[in-house]
Amino acid sequence: MWKSVQRAGRATAHLFLTALMAFGTWIFITVLLITAVGTLALVGVWLLPETVLLVRRIAGAKRNLTADWTGVKIPEVYRPLTGTVRERVATAVRDPGTRRDLRWMVAYWFYGALLALAVPLWPVGLVVDGMWCGLLRRKAVVLPLIVRLADLEADWSTALLKPSPEALLTARVERLARTRADAIAAHGAELRRIERDLHDGAQAQLVALSMRIGLAKRAYGRAPETALKLLDEAQAQAEKALAELRNVVRGIHPPILTDRGLAGALRALAASSGLEVALDDGGLDQGVRAPAAVEAAAYFVVAEALTNVAKYSGVTRAEVRLVRARRGLRVRVRDEGRGGAEGTSQAFGSGGESGGSGLPGMRRRVAALDGTMNVSSPVGGPTVIEVELPCVW
């Protein structure tokens, strides 16, 4: 009985918030009428995109309320209202999301008052279910109806606010186009970096090496000691050139990934990071390995994250966890540092995304593989970065 009362109480609270929001949408009719009249008269056409933005916020609040009850997030797909007034008006009118939100709002004016059906059920339920459960030891029959009303309201809201498959596909194509452009730009920047490193590093060392060998050949006949000294310097120069080449190769694809796999490479990375790292490799040493591109992206994400922990967090401990998911690889890095960033696009530690933390580069690497990346860093910590990279095992 007590569990039925608790569930009915939660359902009533949900229906109360629903009714409160429905009352707000009834008041919002005035804004819609003013916008409609102003748009038809052309003098208030600028009100249309602003009203659409308000409708989007109201629909977004309803999505969050419904998700709190059902535990399932309703995706939100809209075209951005940017540009001139004419462009914003055209986008607002043509966006299927606008028609979907207005259709939901009209229906919400009616089904948003389901609280009126739930309130009378309480006295009946307390009496009937009290006797039914207390005397006969059977399940409640009236109070669960309140929960069903809340479920019905959530189902209707989900059906009306959920984007169409075409809208989801369009949004996905646009997102892939953006990530493709970012990946191409990142690829070009990476090629320029490799070219610069080769030109300023290994190539310069090899040129100096060639000059020293040439001088040693000339001095060999008349000054053997000088030639020997020049050969020693040439050997040192060759070692420097090899080190430069190793650094370039490591920046493209760390050889340790090929030799040891992702788990082994991360253990070596953790050991050389200067931090006390608790690594849970999720059993990646066993079974099929992830594709090379996925392993490289995960490696660079962890490397950059640990670098930011050492630089900005103010702590010497970090946690790294890998999970072999059914549809991909999940990477989670956590530290108990000072945090201090806001939202989901903040910097790792406290350096800020524009403070050289490398988060934009991490996001580009992840987005290029159609992955997702979320960062949480409230003031005082902890800081958590989570990445999911899709792949087939």
Side-chain angles (χ1 to χ4, degrees):
M1 174 64 182
W2 176 242
K3 290 183 178 179
S4 297
V5 172
Q6 285 182 317
R7 287 195 291 267
R10 287 186 62 246
T12 304
H14 173 77
L15 291 173
F16 175 77
L17 294 175
T18 296
L20 193 64
M21 185 174 291
F23 179 72
T25 59
W26 295 335
I27 298 176
F28 194 71
I29 293 177
T30 305
V31 178
L32 294 177
L33 291 176
I34 293 174
T35 301
V37 172
T39 302
L40 292 175
L42 298 180
V43 294
V45 69
W46 59 272
L47 286 172
L48 181 61
E50 302 301 327
T51 304
V52 169
L53 287 176
L54 287 176
V55 172
R56 289 182 179 182
R57 292 190 182 98
I58 295 173
K62 181 56 186 169
R63 287 187 181 92
N64 294 333
L65 181 62
T66 303
D68 290 340
W69 175 255
T70 62
V72 179
K73 185 177 181 181
I74 304 175
E76 191 173 282
V77 178
Y78 294 115
R79 295 176 183 174
L81 297 181
T82 56
T84 63
V85 173
R86 183 175 181 179
E87 291 172 343
R88 298 179 72 202
V89 170
T91 302
V93 172
R94 296 172 183 171
D95 188 0
T98 302
R99 296 188 291 274
R100 182 179 60 249
D101 288 348
L102 290 176
R103 184 176 66 245
W104 160 79
M105 186 169 286
V106 171
Y108 194 50
W109 291 336
F110 300 95
Y111 78 85
L114 286 174
L115 179 67
L117 299 177
V119 172
L121 292 175
W122 269 103
V124 177
L126 291 176
V127 174
V128 174
D129 290 340
M131 296 179 61
W132 191 253
C133 298
L135 296 178
L136 301 178
R137 303 294 182 183
R138 297 189 179 182
K139 292 183 179 180
V141 293
V142 178
L143 290 178
L145 295 177
I146 301 176
V147 180
R148 292 180 184 176
L149 285 174
D151 290 338
L152 181 63
E153 188 279 329
D155 290 341
W156 284 347
S157 296
T158 301
L160 290 168
L161 290 172
K162 183 174 62 177
S164 64
E166 293 79 9
L168 290 174
L169 180 59
T170 301
R172 179 169 175 79
V173 169
E174 291 176 353
R175 178 176 178 270
L176 289 176
R178 289 194 301 270
T179 56
R180 180 177 180 273
D182 290 341
I184 292 175
H187 179 67
E190 189 73 6
L191 287 178
R192 289 191 295 272
R193 182 191 66 80
I194 294 172
E195 181 182 6
R196 184 176 62 251
D197 290 346
L198 289 174
H199 181 272
D200 298 340
Q203 179 175 301
Q205 299 289 348
L206 291 173
V207 170
L209 171 62
S210 177
M211 292 178 61
R212 279 186 170 81
I213 292 176
L215 292 174
K217 288 175 63 178
R218 294 180 183 178
Y220 180 75
R222 49 187 174 81
E225 294 181 358
T226 302
L228 183 60
K229 182 179 179 181
L230 289 172
L231 288 174
D232 290 337
E233 293 177 355
Q235 183 179 8
Q237 204 78 41
E239 293 174 355
K240 289 182 180 180
L242 286 174
E244 292 285 348
L245 287 174
R246 290 192 189 100
N247 289 333
V248 173
V249 172
R250 192 176 296 114
I252 299 172
H253 184 83
I256 194 171
L257 277 176
T258 304
D259 298 337
R260 302 189 189 178
L262 180 59
L266 290 183
R267 280 194 287 269
L269 179 65
S272 61
S273 66
L275 300 169
E276 186 178 346
V277 181
L279 175 63
D280 180 1
D281 59 23
L284 291 183
D285 284 337
Q286 304 171 357
V288 181
R289 290 178 55 174
V294 172
E295 286 192 341
Y299 178 87
F300 283 116
V301 163
V302 175
E304 186 62 42
L306 293 181
T307 299
N308 281 291
V309 173
K311 285 184 178 179
Y312 307 117
S313 69
V315 296
T316 58
R317 285 181 53 85
E319 299 175 6
V320 178
R321 185 183 182 192
L322 306 178
V323 177
R324 186 197 297 266
R326 186 175 65 176
R327 297 184 178 180
L329 174 66
R330 293 175 187 165
V331 182
R332 187 174 186 267
V333 184
R334 174 190 174 102
D335 79 273
E336 299 291 339
R338 60 177 65 97
E342 297 179 356
T344 57
S345 62
Q346 79 281 48
F348 201 81
S350 62
E353 189 156 332
S354 61
S357 67
L359 277 181
M362 294 164 67
R363 293 187 187 279
R364 282 194 296 267
R365 282 185 181 274
V366 173
L369 298 176
D370 200 21
T372 59
M373 172 176 165
N374 294 306
V375 184
S376 173
S377 180
V379 176
T383 298
V384 180
I385 182 168
E386 295 179 318
V387 169
E388 184 164 355
L389 299 166
C391 68
V392 178
W393 298 97

